[in-house]
Amino acid sequence: MEKSEGRQSRKKVVAVVGGGLVGALNACFFAKRGFNVHVFESREDIRKAKIVKGRSINLALSHRGRQALKHVGMEDKIISKGIPMHARMIHSLSGKQSPIPYGRKGQYILSVDRANLNKELLSDAETYPNTTLNFEHKLQDWSADTGLMTFSRSDGSKDQIHADLIVGCDGAFSATRKQFLRRSRFNYSQTYIPHGYMELTMPPVNGEFAMKPNYLHIWPRNTFMMIALPNLDKTFTCTLFMPFEDFEKITTGDEVIQFFQSYFPDMIPLIGVEALKKDYFRLPAQAMVSVKCSPYHIGDKCVLMGDAAHAVVPFYGQGMNAGFEDCIVFDELMEQFNEDFRAVLPEYTRVRVPDDHAIADLAMYNYVEMRAHVNSKWFLFRKHVDNVLHFFLPKTIIPLYTMVTFTRIPYHHAVERWHWQNKVINYGLLLSAVGAVLGGSYLLTKHSQQVNKLAVPAEKMWTRLVSFRIPGMMTTQM
């Protein structure tokens, strides 16, 4: 089906600031509705760049993101360029590998390359005749009253545009959001966690993956961890998450190898001694920030989406998925309110802020789970209990990870339900334990009584034996 400009009567101008993942996808959503869409990106066109600058942590695409891609006809194309991961593969210090499935059979998350996904989305946005992509345009200022925007270009010149709607998708350090900070009653918080990340590459072995490819591999070491995601070129992108102070203790190549021998000995032959030394010092450990703010809109003129509204740490694999869900939630509200920005924008803030704050908190929690809890027998037991209950009561008990990753249950509803389920399950386990103790005590008591009944005749018989007298003999005193 050939793409059209949608509702041709609509000629409002939508300016999307940021040509990253969420910005490019948003361009597709707005273009599909028939708006005149202008995308402004401060960097060069990554489709033409020799070196792609920016973050490169592999992404885990799941249900929420896939639904947004499906809405603009991109799901199948992206899936074909990703690698399914059906479970976590836990690597112990001894080298033992233990899988923990993500969900039911057939459920998986998809390892996708950030740069390739961004290129595909930009190319798709460009196929709409009502979309214009502007690269090397940096936002300087904009007016919430008039919609006038000023951009500086790489050659020093400036461009101006009037927009009916400004959509800020320009990342955690958003230039669009700066205008929000100048206004009263805007809440904003920014938190850097004390851990950084560093990426290493595990090359193929004889042209094939060095490890099983359909897993998200994790080396949990309590206060830090390593993960590895598969790539289409048969490499693994390995990411070490660790406190900055621990990164700073390692200053030489020999110390790198000593560190890996102590905590990740199975990785040394797979990456290679020299490659480890080189990769470790290629770039310093990078910081991770969590951003929360509210509201997400100003009047009917501007709205924030993606990391500009809610940057999250990467430990739940939901940063991109939450950003993509922003797009589809906004589009659903556009449909509900007949594209009336005055109604759509405040409703978007009301609906989305609790969800995005919830996933930000969950991402923080999941880091502890990934690096430490997966080593706990209690965690594994509870995981098994949750899965068994979900199998028999699929609509009543749903594991948190399943709600977050394989449904579109609003994030904050998933958290509320998770807390309720935990109370119910823990209470049930407690009652079961108390019941088992009481039942065991009853059986022991009953058994003791039976033993005592048998013991009484035996005691009487012994008494008779020792008191038995043969005529003419002396009685033995005992």
Side-chain angles (χ1 to χ4, degrees):
M1 178 175 162
E2 185 178 346
K3 291 176 180 175
S4 68
E5 293 190 19
R7 298 175 174 86
Q8 294 295 327
S9 60
R10 294 287 186 180
K11 291 297 180 182
K12 288 184 177 180
V13 175
V14 173
V16 178
V17 184
L21 298 174
V22 176
L25 180 60
N26 250 323
C28 297
F29 270 91
F30 284 107
K32 189 177 178 182
R33 284 192 167 273
F35 293 97
N36 285 331
V37 182
H38 295 264
V39 179
F40 296 93
E41 170 57 48
S42 60
R43 301 170 298 173
E44 62 180 319
D45 188 343
I46 64 169
R47 295 170 297 176
K48 301 174 183 177
K50 293 180 179 179
I51 300 176
V52 179
K53 298 178 181 179
R55 294 177 300 169
S56 58
I57 291 179
N58 278 51
L59 300 168
L61 178 66
S62 56
H63 180 76
R64 296 171 197 267
R66 288 178 61 166
Q67 289 300 298
L69 292 170
K70 182 179 182 179
H71 195 81
V72 295
M74 289 287 289
E75 184 186 19
D76 291 340
K77 181 184 287 187
I78 300 306
I79 287 176
S80 68
K81 296 184 179 181
I83 299 176
M85 298 182 293
H86 298 275
R88 295 169 173 171
M89 182 64 81
I90 309 302
H91 295 248
S92 70
L93 194 57
S94 66
K96 180 183 176 183
Q97 299 183 25
S98 307
I100 303 178
Y102 280 123
R104 291 181 171 181
K105 187 176 181 180
Q107 289 183 325
Y108 60 87
I109 58 178
L110 205 71
S111 175
V112 296
D113 177 80
R114 177 189 294 271
N116 180 67
L117 177 56
N118 202 167
K119 292 174 184 178
E120 293 285 359
L121 289 171
L122 287 170
S123 295
D124 192 68
E126 205 168 37
T127 62
Y128 291 90
N130 48 327
T131 297
T132 304
L133 303 183
N134 304 277
F135 296 97
E136 299 182 272
H137 278 65
K138 186 175 182 180
L139 180 64
Q140 294 296 309
D141 200 9
W142 62 275
S143 168
D145 299 317
T146 64
L148 178 65
M149 309 177 73
T150 303
F151 295 89
S152 62
R153 304 181 65 173
S154 56
D155 61 5
S157 61
K158 292 188 177 182
D159 282 347
Q160 289 189 323
I161 183 176
H162 278 91
D164 295 290
L165 179 66
I166 300 166
V167 186
C169 304
D170 47 343
F173 306 102
S174 169
T176 313
R177 197 178 57 225
K178 289 180 180 178
Q179 191 72 258
F180 285 69
L181 291 168
R182 298 171 187 167
R183 305 174 73 89
S184 64
R185 299 171 65 192
F186 177 68
N187 299 308
Y188 173 79
S189 67
Q190 171 182 295
T191 305
Y192 279 97
I193 65 172
H195 296 69
Y197 73 90
M198 177 179 290
E199 291 189 336
L200 310 167
T201 300
M202 184 181 292
V205 175
N206 298 322
E208 293 298 329
F209 285 104
M211 302 183 296
K212 295 178 180 179
N214 297 118
Y215 297 90
L216 192 158
H217 293 262
I218 305 177
W219 291 257
R221 299 298 182 260
N222 295 317
T223 58
F224 55 90
M225 70 174 182
M226 179 84 74
I227 68 170
L229 277 72
N231 301 308
L232 285 178
D233 62 0
K234 305 294 179 71
T235 63
F236 278 91
T237 299
C238 307
T239 309
L240 173 61
F241 297 97
M242 192 164 65
F244 278 103
E245 59 186 30
D246 290 336
F247 276 115
E248 291 160 3
K249 291 175 183 176
I250 302 172
T251 58
T252 68
D254 289 341
E255 289 175 345
V256 172
I257 302 306
Q258 289 171 8
F259 173 74
F260 273 79
Q261 284 174 341
S262 298
Y263 297 104
F264 311 108
D266 54 335
M267 295 193 74
I268 297 175
L270 298 178
I271 296 179
V273 172
E274 294 306 316
L276 262 177
K277 292 178 180 179
K278 182 180 178 182
D279 271 10
Y280 191 92
F281 295 107
R282 183 168 51 88
L283 289 172
Q286 304 296 300
M288 290 173 284
V289 66
S290 180
V291 170
K292 292 180 181 179
C293 67
S294 177
Y296 287 168
H297 74 286
I298 295 178
D300 63 350
K301 194 62 66 178
C302 182
V303 64
L304 301 175
M305 296 193 200
D307 284 356
H310 50 81
V312 301
V313 292
F315 305 116
Y316 222 114
Q318 286 295 303
M320 172 188 65
N321 291 289
F324 281 6
E325 192 176 47
D326 288 346
C327 302
I328 197 169
V329 167
F330 194 86
D331 188 74
E332 289 166 349
L333 294 174
M334 290 279 278
E335 190 68 29
Q336 180 181 343
F337 293 103
N338 197 30
E339 299 180 356
D340 181 357
F341 295 153
R342 291 170 299 178
V344 172
L345 270 63
E347 182 65 8
Y348 174 77
T349 284
R350 187 191 71 79
V351 168
R352 204 62 185 147
V353 166
D355 285 339
D356 293 331
H357 287 189
I359 193 58
D361 293 337
L362 278 177
M364 291 287 199
Y365 160 81
N366 209 48
Y367 183 35
V368 180
E369 177 175 304
M370 291 175 73
R371 74 176 195 241
H373 290 176
V374 292
N375 290 323
S376 162
K377 291 182 179 179
W378 170 253
F379 171 82
L380 296 174
F381 169 72
R382 271 305 310 272
K383 198 88 171 173
H384 180 69
V385 169
D386 290 353
N387 289 336
V388 168
L389 290 173
H390 180 50
F391 179 80
F392 288 106
L393 304 166
K395 294 183 179 180
T396 305
I397 301 296
I398 308 175
L400 175 63
Y401 192 89
T402 297
M403 287 190 282
V404 169
T405 308
F406 300 118
T407 78
R408 277 198 62 203
I409 294 173
Y411 289 122
H412 79 283
H413 288 168
V415 172
E416 290 169 358
R417 183 168 183 161
W418 173 49
H419 289 316
W420 172 81
Q421 288 178 175
N422 270 346
K423 287 180 181 178
V424 171
I425 294 171
N426 288 338
Y427 187 64
L429 290 173
L430 179 61
L431 285 179
S432 299
V434 170
V437 170
L438 292 176
S441 300
Y442 171 75
L443 291 174
L444 283 172
T445 303
K446 189 174 181 180
H447 180 70
S448 298
Q449 289 173 348
Q450 291 174 345
V451 170
N452 289 336
K453 286 179 182 179
L454 290 172
V456 169
E459 186 177 332
K460 289 181 179 178
M461 185 177 292
W462 173 251
T463 303
R464 289 172 183 171
L465 282 171
V466 298
S467 61
F468 178 73
R469 295 183 181 183
I470 297 176
M473 292 186 64
M474 294 180 61
T475 302
T476 305
Q477 301 294 322
M478 298 190 66

